[in-house]
Amino acid sequence: MGMTAKTERQRRSGVRRWLRWLWKLPLLLVALSVLQVLALRFVDPPFSAFMAARQVQAWMAGDGSFRIAYDWRDLDEIAPSLPLSMIAAEDQNFARHRGFDLEAIEKARASNARGGRLRGASTISQQVAKNVFLWSGDSRASRWARKGVEAWYTVLIEALWPKTRILEVYANVAEFGDGIYGAQAAARSYWRRDAARLTPAQSATLAAVLPNPKEYSAARPGPYVQRRARWIERNVRRIGGVGYLDNL
C-alpha cells in the first residue's frame, strides 16, 4: 500500500515537472526566434529554409547531381536596378509600412472576391520571413500554421532589421529559377555577368518572374514576363528611381 502511494506521488511529481517545462516552452521558442533574427541582422545566412527544402527534395527524388546556385552579395555589390525592380514589382509601400501593407491586402481581397486574377499582398518583409525561416506545406492546417509563424517573424524582422538589410537579404534569397537563389546566382546563370552589372531591363525581367519562378523564365521570357518587365521599369521611374533607395 505504502509502495503504491509512493509510486503515485512520484508520478504526480513527474507530471508537475513536465507541466512546468511545458508552459516555459513558448517563452523559449520566442527567445530563440528573437536571437535567430537578431543574429541574421549581422550574419549573412549561409542558406535559407527554402534552399534546404529544395535540396532535400532533389535528393529524395534521386537527383544526386542537383546543386543549389547561391552566392551572397552585399547590397552595394548588386546593381540598384534590381532591388528597385523588386520593390516596384511586389511592394511599392516598402518604405512606409511596418511589415504588413493593409492597403494592398484590402485591394487583393476585393480583386479576388470579384473573381479576377488571383493576387497576393505579401510584402518583401513577409517574403523574407517565409523564405529564410519557414517550411513548405500543402495541407490547410500547415498553411495556417505557417502564416501565423510568418507573421511573427515579419514583426521581428521589421523591429530588429533596418529596411536596407531586409532588402539586401531578399535580393540574395529570392528564387529566380529552379534552384537559382539571389541576384548573383541569377546574373551568372542567365547572362554570365555579376549582379553589379545587371541592366535595368535584366533586373526588371528577374523581378517579373518572382511570383512563380518555376513557371516563368528569365532566360526565355514569354509575353507575360515581357509585359510585366516593361510595367516594372515604368513603376521604378514612378517611385523615384535610385532616390527611393537613398530614403530607406
Side-chain angles (χ1 to χ4, degrees):
M1 185 75 173
M3 198 66 176
T4 302
K6 181 179 179 182
T7 302
E8 180 63 18
R9 284 197 301 271
Q10 290 174 336
R11 186 188 69 80
R12 289 179 179 176
S13 176
V15 170
R16 284 195 294 270
R17 284 197 301 271
W18 168 248
L19 290 175
R20 282 199 297 270
W21 275 107
L22 193 61
W23 77 263
K24 292 178 182 177
L25 183 60
L27 297 178
L28 178 61
L29 293 176
V30 167
L32 287 174
S33 63
V34 171
L35 289 174
Q36 191 180 23
V37 174
L38 187 59
L40 290 184
R41 172 175 176 166
F42 306 103
V43 178
D44 301 332
F47 60 89
S48 71
F50 270 41
M51 293 178 205
R54 181 64 186 92
Q55 186 66 68
V56 169
Q57 182 185 48
W59 288 336
M60 291 180 67
D63 186 0
S65 63
F66 180 84
R67 293 291 182 274
I68 293 294
Y70 172 61
D71 191 358
W72 179 274
R73 287 294 184 274
D74 292 340
L75 197 58
D76 59 6
E77 298 175 298
I78 299 172
S81 57
L82 181 60
L84 276 170
S85 293
M86 299 169 89
I87 291 170
E90 298 200 303
D91 191 359
Q92 294 158 46
N93 292 324
F94 176 68
R96 297 196 301 272
H97 66 65
R98 298 302 300 168
F100 307 95
D101 189 341
L102 300 182
E103 180 184 338
I105 291 170
E106 176 56 29
K107 286 181 179 178
R109 186 203 62 77
S111 174
N112 296 341
R114 290 194 301 269
R117 183 187 182 94
L118 285 178
R119 56 186 290 181
S122 289
T123 63
I124 285 175
S125 305
Q126 288 173 276
Q127 294 289 340
V128 170
K130 179 174 68 174
N131 280 270
V132 175
F133 298 107
L134 302 186
W135 67 94
S136 298
D138 295 325
S139 70
R140 181 184 294 270
S142 177
R143 285 197 299 271
W144 279 110
R146 193 171 66 246
K147 278 294 182 184
V149 179
E150 177 189 306
W152 169 244
Y153 272 104
T154 299
V155 170
L156 291 181
I157 287 168
E158 282 282 345
L160 298 174
W161 295 3
K163 288 285 188 178
T164 50
R165 179 58 172 173
I166 297 172
L167 198 54
E168 180 176 60
V169 172
Y170 189 48
N172 276 281
V173 302
E175 186 177 14
F176 293 109
D178 187 22
I180 299 172
Y181 295 88
Q184 178 67 9
R188 295 300 302 170
S189 297
Y190 298 133
W191 296 291
R192 297 292 185 267
R193 60 175 60 201
D194 289 329
R197 296 183 58 242
L198 285 167
T199 68
Q202 289 167 343
S203 295
T205 300
L206 288 176
V209 306
L210 283 175
N212 194 339
K214 292 184 175 65
E215 178 180 347
Y216 304 129
S217 171
R220 295 177 298 280
Y224 168 76
V225 171
Q226 292 176 37
R227 285 195 306 272
R228 183 166 171 78
R230 290 193 295 269
W231 174 82
I232 290 169
E233 288 192 82
R234 290 194 299 271
N235 246 8
V236 166
R237 292 191 292 271
R238 187 182 65 79
I239 65 176
V242 176
Y244 185 100
L245 298 179
D246 294 336
N247 294 326
L248 290 179

